[in-house]
Amino acid sequence: MATERVARVRAPELVGAGGWINTGGRELTLADLRGKIVLLDFWTFCCVNCLHVIDELRPLEAKYGDVLVTIGVHSPKFEHERDHLAVLAAVERYGVHHPVLDDPRMVTWQQYAVRAWPTLALVDPEGYVVAQAAGEGHVAGLDRVIGEVVAEHEARGTLHRGDGPYVPPPAPPTVLRFPGKIAVTADKTFLVSDSQQHSLVELAADGETVLRRIGSGERGFTDGSAETARFAEPQGVLVLPTGELLVADTVNHALRTVDLVDGRVRTVAKAPDGVPLSPWDLAWYDNAVIVAAAGIHQLWRFDPTDGSFLPWAGTTVEGLKDGPLADTWMAQPSGLAADGDRLWIADSETSALRYAENGELHTAVGEGLFDFGHVDGPAAKARFQHPLGVAVLADHSVAVLDTYNNAVRRYDPTTREVSTLATGVAEPSDAVEMDGQLVVVESATHRLSRPVSPGKMRKINGPAMRTERPVTDLAPGAITLDVVFSPPPGQKLDERYGPSTRLQVSSTPPELLIEGAGDTTDLNREIVLADNIKDGVLHVTAQAAACDEGVEHPACHLIRQDWGVPIRVTHGSATHLPLILRG
């Protein structure tokens, strides 16, 4: 969060055509919240960084529960995220325990001049914006600023303590609640990650009969027996060659094993401190486990024999770039399936189907971060919308769980054609083929289903779409790119192991940038824009590491933000692009 208090500006009103969630039907205004500190969290439910922030804010909301009101402002990227029912489901799915304004037309986003997901804005008890920051990792700075605002307004008599406007909705009881991923045991039972209920469920071959539940059902991070162990929104599940079950414990950023005989849970790998890995899926490939590290746009490799857990593919830059595994860009890889020498990947934020083979990453279907749709046909023109899962079929074609199109699609690697197997499937997130049938995790209806009829394929030629956001006008030629950062009070840049900052710049199309692309440790850079390309996107990733000063065991914090800045190149426009990375 901002290291210095910004000039007080009257907060724009909260407007959203979709209405309010978690308020018991009440419409809120800033006048209703006068006397409270209001934290606006601009988010969209496809964005894993936004999900990180929701979890980061939980202890802060508990600490300041009688003076702080958090309001999520849902600002969609994908077309599916404009659906109010989908937003309602996401609020429950991710345990959002504060009011949410559904703003499908992004009116409030524009009023607050937001550029990126996620963004936080702090409004004081008199209705003035006092701080704003993009990205995750801001809790320490935010805690300090809220403490200052509490002291100031308590002294002035303008702070009102008491309950906020949050009204929890009733959750209908179901066996599964927003299940995520699925695996099949040697006994032909199903193991399903029951993500919203923080547990695993073993189902009989009918996909309905519960054989056992592993995990207490309470959010947490505890090893132990099947009854006492705790998970936090688990996703990927994989039966290892040893017979144990490996679990991607997503919000705990950890890998856990389950002994399928007695149900005992233990932790076998964890992300390094400060690395929001968010493991989303698992696959056995090349004699190891490949992990879809959605939170940092990479694939990691876990070797169960020696416990090593290291990056395997991707640079952490969010985007779509093929080539040698270590040099590639991905965007929230969320589904994995191995087939011989190929590892298939559902790269959700680029709405792409990709595969790793012989040390390189390739794109089978997909265009980029802002291109999506429901289009069948030749791979070069086909489009998905935020797919979360893949499954290899018996004929070696690939089933794509096209989550935000509510569809199951098929890619044929031989003909390079995409077709549709089923529609009307509520946010499918994974699938397995058993006894000639595709069993699908239909996440938004909390069940397993068999929606695909053998041999039934069709072609859908829906619209190809792009995410539209406010455009920044820049002049052709030299542009000064400034990422502004200073550590919070009481912290300093962590330079014990070399430079503490990093800046990565690229563009879509690549020809837009004549000079200035690449990776440096300086947060200021001159870039040169082509004169013959009129529009595109600048991809900017900045990060900085800061540690507490003057203490024996300092806590360290990594502040990071990815910007995808749509630009229009026009003569006479700005030659300076400032971006704020607050600590």
Side-chain angles (χ1 to χ4, degrees):
M1 183 52 67
T3 57
E4 67 278 345
R5 300 282 293 279
V6 301
R8 296 202 323 163
V9 176
R10 177 65 70 179
E13 191 52 82
L14 305 177
V15 179
W20 288 86
I21 300 169
N22 284 353
T23 63
R26 180 184 176 189
E27 300 281 329
L28 297 179
T29 67
L30 286 175
D32 298 328
L33 303 171
R34 198 61 50 85
K36 296 287 189 182
I37 301 167
V38 178
L39 177 62
L40 302 178
D41 176 15
F42 292 86
W43 70 297
T44 187
F45 64 77
C46 72
C47 165
V48 71
N49 308 92
C50 300
L51 305 184
H52 292 165
V53 168
I54 290 170
D55 286 308
E56 288 177 352
L57 294 180
R58 295 186 200 278
L60 205 65
E61 292 174 291
K63 178 177 180 179
Y64 294 103
D66 62 342
V67 295
L68 177 69
V69 174
T70 301
I71 292 178
V73 182
H74 189 267
S75 312
K77 173 185 174 182
F78 288 100
E79 187 65 24
H80 178 66
E81 294 172 306
R82 300 181 191 277
D83 182 341
H84 184 67
L85 293 179
V87 180
L88 275 170
V91 167
E92 182 191 348
R93 179 193 300 265
Y94 298 116
V96 180
H97 296 154
H98 51 246
V100 173
L101 173 64
D102 183 7
D103 184 19
R105 298 173 187 165
M106 301 178 79
V107 175
T108 300
W109 164 288
Q110 294 186 57
Q111 289 296 313
Y112 280 80
V114 175
R115 282 181 177 268
W117 296 279
T119 289
L120 299 169
L122 195 69
V123 180
D124 74 11
E126 293 181 313
Y128 290 90
V129 178
V130 294
Q132 188 162 322
E136 51 187 297
H138 298 298
V139 168
L142 184 57
D143 192 358
R144 174 187 61 81
V145 175
I146 293 174
E148 292 174 356
V149 174
V150 168
E152 175 185 340
H153 286 271
E154 197 146 51
R156 291 165 55 180
T158 51
L159 183 73
H160 300 162
R161 293 185 179 272
D163 293 336
Y166 170 62
V167 178
T174 54
V175 172
L176 302 173
R177 203 73 192 159
F178 297 104
K181 301 292 185 180
I182 187 172
V184 178
T185 70
D187 296 328
K188 291 192 174 183
T189 63
F190 298 112
L191 288 162
V192 182
S193 55
D194 194 11
S195 303
Q196 207 275 332
Q197 298 186 122
H198 314 295
S199 56
L200 311 170
V201 176
E202 186 172 9
L203 299 173
D206 62 7
E208 297 179 0
T209 304
V210 176
L211 302 178
R212 59 173 163 171
R213 184 175 291 271
I214 299 166
S216 69
E218 297 292 324
R219 177 190 291 265
F221 191 8
T222 307
D223 288 344
S225 68
E227 295 74 26
T228 62
R230 292 189 175 191
F231 301 91
E233 299 178 27
Q235 284 285 340
V237 285
L238 172 69
V239 179
L240 295 171
T242 60
E244 288 183 301
L245 181 71
L246 187 66
V247 182
D249 194 2
T250 304
V251 175
N252 285 325
H253 310 294
L255 302 181
R256 322 278 295 278
T257 57
V258 178
D259 186 321
L260 290 178
V261 176
D262 62 14
R264 193 157 193 86
V265 177
R266 65 187 181 96
T267 301
V268 293
K270 195 171 187 314
D273 290 343
V275 178
L277 205 65
S278 296
W280 213 273
D281 203 6
L282 309 166
W284 184 259
Y285 178 75
D286 196 21
N287 295 314
V289 177
I290 303 302
V291 180
I296 56 173
H297 318 300
Q298 287 184 307
L299 303 179
W300 281 42
R301 183 181 187 274
F302 171 64
D303 188 339
T305 59
D306 61 15
S308 59
F309 190 34
L310 297 167
W312 186 71
T315 62
T316 78
V317 174
E318 184 178 17
L320 192 151
K321 178 183 174 183
D322 293 339
L325 292 176
D327 301 330
T328 56
W329 301 348
M330 286 173 276
Q332 288 180 218
S334 301
L336 301 174
D339 184 24
D341 293 334
R342 281 190 177 180
L343 176 70
W344 293 98
I345 304 152
D347 201 30
S348 63
E349 278 294 283
T350 55
S351 297
L353 174 65
R354 307 176 77 180
Y355 63 93
E357 185 175 32
N358 298 326
E360 293 200 341
L361 185 67
H362 307 268
T363 299
V365 180
E367 190 68 24
L369 279 167
F370 306 106
D371 299 274
F372 60 95
H374 190 153
V375 183
D376 289 328
K381 295 183 178 180
R383 295 288 182 270
F384 302 119
Q385 186 179 181
H386 199 80
L388 289 178
V390 286
V392 176
L393 303 179
D395 63 359
H396 300 285
S397 64
V398 181
V400 178
L401 289 310
D402 195 5
T403 310
Y404 287 4
N405 279 325
N406 296 318
V408 181
R409 314 279 293 282
R410 176 183 181 269
Y411 172 71
D412 187 328
T414 302
T415 64
R416 298 183 181 178
E417 290 272 334
V418 175
S419 55
T420 295
L421 297 176
T423 57
V425 187
E427 295 191 4
S429 55
D430 201 13
V432 292
E433 193 173 37
M434 190 171 79
D435 296 334
Q437 280 194 310
L438 194 64
V439 180
V440 174
V441 179
E442 199 167 343
S443 187
T445 49
H446 323 293
R447 64 176 184 169
L448 304 186
S449 65
R450 293 172 171 84
V452 177
S453 299
K456 292 289 182 69
M457 291 183 286
R458 55 189 170 127
K459 296 291 180 70
I460 292 178
N461 189 22
M465 293 178 276
R466 298 201 79 216
T467 300
E468 299 297 337
R469 294 185 295 158
V471 174
T472 299
D473 289 324
L474 293 175
I479 301 291
T480 301
L481 172 63
D482 281 326
V483 177
V484 181
F485 174 79
S486 55
Q491 294 184 18
K492 64 178 181 179
L493 289 172
D494 179 15
E495 296 181 334
R496 293 171 296 170
Y497 308 109
S500 57
T501 57
R502 184 183 181 192
L503 178 65
Q504 296 168 300
V505 181
S506 62
S507 68
T508 302
E511 297 78 18
L512 176 64
L513 269 179
I514 296 174
E515 295 179 18
D519 190 344
T520 65
T521 59
D522 192 342
L523 293 181
N524 309 102
R525 184 184 305 183
E526 183 176 279
I527 63 176
V528 178
L529 300 180
D531 195 2
N532 61 334
I533 297 177
K534 299 308 178 185
D535 57 71
V537 178
L538 285 178
H539 305 287
V540 181
T541 299
Q543 64 183 44
C547 291
D548 295 339
E549 286 189 288
V551 295
E552 184 177 355
H553 301 290
C556 296
H557 315 273
L558 180 67
I559 300 97
R560 174 194 168 102
Q561 176 60 32
D562 296 289
W563 292 272
V565 183
I567 67 168
R568 181 168 46 227
V569 181
T570 56
H571 287 274
S573 296
T575 59
H576 181 218
L577 178 60
L579 299 170
I580 310 298
L581 178 69
R582 294 297 191 185

